[in-house]
Amino acid sequence: MTKEELVQKAQEARKLSYSPYSHFAVGAALLCKDGEVFYGANVENSSYPLCMCAERNALYNAYMHGKKKEDFAAMALSAASDEPCSPCGACRQVLSEIFPADAPIYMSNLKGQIQETNVRELLPFAFSADDLK
Ligand code: THU
């Protein structure tokens, strides 16, 4: 699957966003090595801290279907942002634990801009289970 196709799927997922507070809809598409794609969109709540991001919903969706870190090939996310939408700090921390460090993450917007990155770039010196020893 091309990065453009995965971004297209993130934009489809974005349509499922529940974001009546921020009015900032985000979609994510998580591609597995077997070709399966899992979707996520942000889901907000009147108690604002309970809002859940598109990226984490996509990851947790995949986990609930039996997928694991080693099964993931790439992720795309998309929003109507000026610059390609970038994962928040909480999502970076979650990605650093359950998404491969070097797998491509395609940040995008609705203007067709796509910027490739990965967890290693997004969260250097991440806190991890090793720090708990
Ligand atoms: N949001 C995401 O879903 N992913 C991101 O990468 C950035 C932020 C959501 C959280 C909240 O529902 C809204 O966008 C505004 O912050």
PDB file of all heavy atoms in Angstrom, residues 49-66:
ATOM      1  N   PRO A  49     -10.375  16.312  29.798  1.00  0.00           N
ATOM      2  CA  PRO A  49      -9.187  15.440  29.855  1.00  0.00           C
ATOM      3  C   PRO A  49      -9.459  14.006  29.399  1.00  0.00           C
ATOM      4  O   PRO A  49      -8.522  13.239  29.187  1.00  0.00           O
ATOM      5  CB  PRO A  49      -8.790  15.465  31.340  1.00  0.00           C
ATOM      6  CG  PRO A  49      -9.411  16.697  31.876  1.00  0.00           C
ATOM      7  CD  PRO A  49     -10.684  16.882  31.109  1.00  0.00           C
ATOM      8  N   LEU A  50     -10.729  13.658  29.270  1.00  0.00           N
ATOM      9  CA  LEU A  50     -11.057  12.287  28.859  1.00  0.00           C
ATOM     10  C   LEU A  50     -11.031  12.105  27.343  1.00  0.00           C
ATOM     11  O   LEU A  50     -11.257  10.999  26.853  1.00  0.00           O
ATOM     12  CB  LEU A  50     -12.437  11.898  29.399  1.00  0.00           C
ATOM     13  CG  LEU A  50     -12.560  11.945  30.923  1.00  0.00           C
ATOM     14  CD1 LEU A  50     -13.952  11.524  31.355  1.00  0.00           C
ATOM     15  CD2 LEU A  50     -11.511  11.081  31.596  1.00  0.00           C
ATOM     16  N   CYS A  51     -10.755  13.166  26.612  1.00  0.00           N
ATOM     17  CA  CYS A  51     -10.687  13.035  25.148  1.00  0.00           C
ATOM     18  C   CYS A  51      -9.624  12.006  24.761  1.00  0.00           C
ATOM     19  O   CYS A  51      -8.571  11.923  25.397  1.00  0.00           O
ATOM     20  CB  CYS A  51     -10.328  14.383  24.518  1.00  0.00           C
ATOM     21  SG  CYS A  51     -11.606  15.637  24.766  1.00  0.00           S
ATOM     22  N   MET A  52      -9.940  11.231  23.746  1.00  0.00           N
ATOM     23  CA  MET A  52      -8.976  10.232  23.272  1.00  0.00           C
ATOM     24  C   MET A  52      -8.589  10.530  21.834  1.00  0.00           C
ATOM     25  O   MET A  52      -9.443  10.820  20.995  1.00  0.00           O
ATOM     26  CB  MET A  52      -9.579   8.816  23.382  1.00  0.00           C
ATOM     27  CG  MET A  52      -8.664   7.701  22.923  1.00  0.00           C
ATOM     28  SD  MET A  52      -7.023   7.686  23.700  1.00  0.00           S
ATOM     29  CE  MET A  52      -7.425   7.287  25.398  1.00  0.00           C
ATOM     30  N   CYS A  53      -7.299  10.461  21.561  1.00  0.00           N
ATOM     31  CA  CYS A  53      -6.778  10.803  20.236  1.00  0.00           C
ATOM     32  C   CYS A  53      -6.989   9.683  19.218  1.00  0.00           C
ATOM     33  O   CYS A  53      -7.111   8.499  19.568  1.00  0.00           O
ATOM     34  CB  CYS A  53      -5.288  11.086  20.316  1.00  0.00           C
ATOM     35  SG  CYS A  53      -4.858  12.580  21.212  1.00  0.00           S
ATOM     36  N   ALA A  54      -6.951  10.076  17.958  1.00  0.00           N
ATOM     37  CA  ALA A  54      -7.115   9.148  16.842  1.00  0.00           C
ATOM     38  C   ALA A  54      -6.037   8.056  16.842  1.00  0.00           C
ATOM     39  O   ALA A  54      -6.345   6.872  16.622  1.00  0.00           O
ATOM     40  CB  ALA A  54      -7.050   9.926  15.533  1.00  0.00           C
ATOM     41  N   GLU A  55      -4.808   8.442  17.101  1.00  0.00           N
ATOM     42  CA  GLU A  55      -3.700   7.474  17.018  1.00  0.00           C
ATOM     43  C   GLU A  55      -3.852   6.373  18.065  1.00  0.00           C
ATOM     44  O   GLU A  55      -3.655   5.187  17.789  1.00  0.00           O
ATOM     45  CB  GLU A  55      -2.353   8.179  17.230  1.00  0.00           C
ATOM     46  CG  GLU A  55      -2.048   9.242  16.210  1.00  0.00           C
ATOM     47  CD  GLU A  55      -2.496  10.623  16.664  1.00  0.00           C
ATOM     48  OE1 GLU A  55      -3.655  10.774  17.123  1.00  0.00           O
ATOM     49  OE2 GLU A  55      -1.686  11.561  16.545  1.00  0.00           O
ATOM     50  N   ARG A  56      -4.180   6.790  19.299  1.00  0.00           N
ATOM     51  CA  ARG A  56      -4.321   5.768  20.350  1.00  0.00           C
ATOM     52  C   ARG A  56      -5.542   4.905  20.089  1.00  0.00           C
ATOM     53  O   ARG A  56      -5.511   3.692  20.328  1.00  0.00           O
ATOM     54  CB  ARG A  56      -4.382   6.428  21.734  1.00  0.00           C
ATOM     55  CG  ARG A  56      -2.984   6.685  22.303  1.00  0.00           C
ATOM     56  CD  ARG A  56      -3.059   7.395  23.622  1.00  0.00           C
ATOM     57  NE  ARG A  56      -3.409   8.797  23.440  1.00  0.00           N
ATOM     58  CZ  ARG A  56      -3.875   9.596  24.385  1.00  0.00           C
ATOM     59  NH1 ARG A  56      -4.078   9.111  25.586  1.00  0.00           N
ATOM     60  NH2 ARG A  56      -4.136  10.871  24.141  1.00  0.00           N
ATOM     61  N   ASN A  57      -6.614   5.502  19.585  1.00  0.00           N
ATOM     62  CA  ASN A  57      -7.781   4.667  19.278  1.00  0.00           C
ATOM     63  C   ASN A  57      -7.446   3.640  18.196  1.00  0.00           C
ATOM     64  O   ASN A  57      -7.899   2.492  18.277  1.00  0.00           O
ATOM     65  CB  ASN A  57      -8.960   5.544  18.868  1.00  0.00           C
ATOM     66  CG  ASN A  57      -9.786   5.987  20.068  1.00  0.00           C
ATOM     67  OD1 ASN A  57      -9.745   5.340  21.117  1.00  0.00           O
ATOM     68  ND2 ASN A  57     -10.519   7.062  19.924  1.00  0.00           N
ATOM     69  N   ALA A  58      -6.659   4.015  17.208  1.00  0.00           N
ATOM     70  CA  ALA A  58      -6.268   3.059  16.157  1.00  0.00           C
ATOM     71  C   ALA A  58      -5.405   1.936  16.747  1.00  0.00           C
ATOM     72  O   ALA A  58      -5.612   0.749  16.444  1.00  0.00           O
ATOM     73  CB  ALA A  58      -5.517   3.774  15.039  1.00  0.00           C
ATOM     74  N   LEU A  59      -4.458   2.311  17.591  1.00  0.00           N
ATOM     75  CA  LEU A  59      -3.590   1.296  18.208  1.00  0.00           C
ATOM     76  C   LEU A  59      -4.401   0.341  19.090  1.00  0.00           C
ATOM     77  O   LEU A  59      -4.234  -0.882  19.015  1.00  0.00           O
ATOM     78  CB  LEU A  59      -2.509   1.976  19.058  1.00  0.00           C
ATOM     79  CG  LEU A  59      -1.361   2.645  18.306  1.00  0.00           C
ATOM     80  CD1 LEU A  59      -0.613   3.594  19.238  1.00  0.00           C
ATOM     81  CD2 LEU A  59      -0.410   1.607  17.735  1.00  0.00           C
ATOM     82  N   TYR A  60      -5.275   0.907  19.914  1.00  0.00           N
ATOM     83  CA  TYR A  60      -6.044   0.060  20.833  1.00  0.00           C
ATOM     84  C   TYR A  60      -7.062  -0.785  20.062  1.00  0.00           C
ATOM     85  O   TYR A  60      -7.332  -1.937  20.438  1.00  0.00           O
ATOM     86  CB  TYR A  60      -6.733   0.926  21.894  1.00  0.00           C
ATOM     87  CG  TYR A  60      -5.779   1.723  22.773  1.00  0.00           C
ATOM     88  CD1 TYR A  60      -6.178   2.906  23.386  1.00  0.00           C
ATOM     89  CD2 TYR A  60      -4.471   1.286  22.999  1.00  0.00           C
ATOM     90  CE1 TYR A  60      -5.312   3.635  24.198  1.00  0.00           C
ATOM     91  CE2 TYR A  60      -3.592   2.025  23.798  1.00  0.00           C
ATOM     92  CZ  TYR A  60      -4.023   3.191  24.390  1.00  0.00           C
ATOM     93  OH  TYR A  60      -3.165   3.909  25.187  1.00  0.00           O
ATOM     94  N   ASN A  61      -7.584  -0.233  18.993  1.00  0.00           N
ATOM     95  CA  ASN A  61      -8.475  -0.996  18.123  1.00  0.00           C
ATOM     96  C   ASN A  61      -7.734  -2.231  17.590  1.00  0.00           C
ATOM     97  O   ASN A  61      -8.247  -3.362  17.641  1.00  0.00           O
ATOM     98  CB  ASN A  61      -8.928  -0.079  16.972  1.00  0.00           C
ATOM     99  CG  ASN A  61      -9.904  -0.727  16.027  1.00  0.00           C
ATOM    100  OD1 ASN A  61     -10.440  -1.793  16.287  1.00  0.00           O
ATOM    101  ND2 ASN A  61     -10.137  -0.076  14.889  1.00  0.00           N
ATOM    102  N   ALA A  62      -6.521  -2.028  17.108  1.00  0.00           N
ATOM    103  CA  ALA A  62      -5.739  -3.158  16.571  1.00  0.00           C
ATOM    104  C   ALA A  62      -5.441  -4.181  17.669  1.00  0.00           C
ATOM    105  O   ALA A  62      -5.546  -5.398  17.446  1.00  0.00           O
ATOM    106  CB  ALA A  62      -4.442  -2.645  15.964  1.00  0.00           C
ATOM    107  N   TYR A  63      -5.079  -3.685  18.851  1.00  0.00           N
ATOM    108  CA  TYR A  63      -4.791  -4.614  19.963  1.00  0.00           C
ATOM    109  C   TYR A  63      -6.017  -5.455  20.310  1.00  0.00           C
ATOM    110  O   TYR A  63      -5.903  -6.634  20.623  1.00  0.00           O
ATOM    111  CB  TYR A  63      -4.278  -3.847  21.191  1.00  0.00           C
ATOM    112  CG  TYR A  63      -2.768  -3.856  21.254  1.00  0.00           C
ATOM    113  CD1 TYR A  63      -2.013  -3.079  20.393  1.00  0.00           C
ATOM    114  CD2 TYR A  63      -2.095  -4.690  22.147  1.00  0.00           C
ATOM    115  CE1 TYR A  63      -0.628  -3.115  20.416  1.00  0.00           C
ATOM    116  CE2 TYR A  63      -0.701  -4.735  22.166  1.00  0.00           C
ATOM    117  CZ  TYR A  63       0.016  -3.949  21.316  1.00  0.00           C
ATOM    118  OH  TYR A  63       1.387  -4.005  21.325  1.00  0.00           O
ATOM    119  N   MET A  64      -7.173  -4.842  20.245  1.00  0.00           N
ATOM    120  CA  MET A  64      -8.408  -5.576  20.581  1.00  0.00           C
ATOM    121  C   MET A  64      -8.778  -6.581  19.503  1.00  0.00           C
ATOM    122  O   MET A  64      -9.679  -7.411  19.695  1.00  0.00           O
ATOM    123  CB  MET A  64      -9.565  -4.604  20.836  1.00  0.00           C
ATOM    124  CG  MET A  64      -9.409  -3.789  22.108  1.00  0.00           C
ATOM    125  SD  MET A  64      -9.170  -4.823  23.599  1.00  0.00           S
ATOM    126  CE  MET A  64      -7.373  -4.766  23.782  1.00  0.00           C
ATOM    127  N   HIS A  65      -8.067  -6.542  18.398  1.00  0.00           N
ATOM    128  CA  HIS A  65      -8.243  -7.567  17.367  1.00  0.00           C
ATOM    129  C   HIS A  65      -7.047  -8.517  17.336  1.00  0.00           C
ATOM    130  O   HIS A  65      -6.820  -9.219  16.343  1.00  0.00           O
ATOM    131  CB  HIS A  65      -8.471  -6.914  16.001  1.00  0.00           C
ATOM    132  CG  HIS A  65      -9.841  -6.324  15.867  1.00  0.00           C
ATOM    133  ND1 HIS A  65     -10.163  -5.066  16.339  1.00  0.00           N
ATOM    134  CD2 HIS A  65     -10.989  -6.829  15.352  1.00  0.00           C
ATOM    135  CE1 HIS A  65     -11.447  -4.824  16.103  1.00  0.00           C
ATOM    136  NE2 HIS A  65     -11.973  -5.875  15.515  1.00  0.00           N
ATOM    137  N   GLY A  66      -6.278  -8.517  18.408  1.00  0.00           N
ATOM    138  CA  GLY A  66      -5.200  -9.501  18.547  1.00  0.00           C
ATOM    139  C   GLY A  66      -3.873  -9.099  17.949  1.00  0.00           C
ATOM    140  O   GLY A  66      -2.918  -9.893  17.955  1.00  0.00           O
TER     141      GLY A  66
END
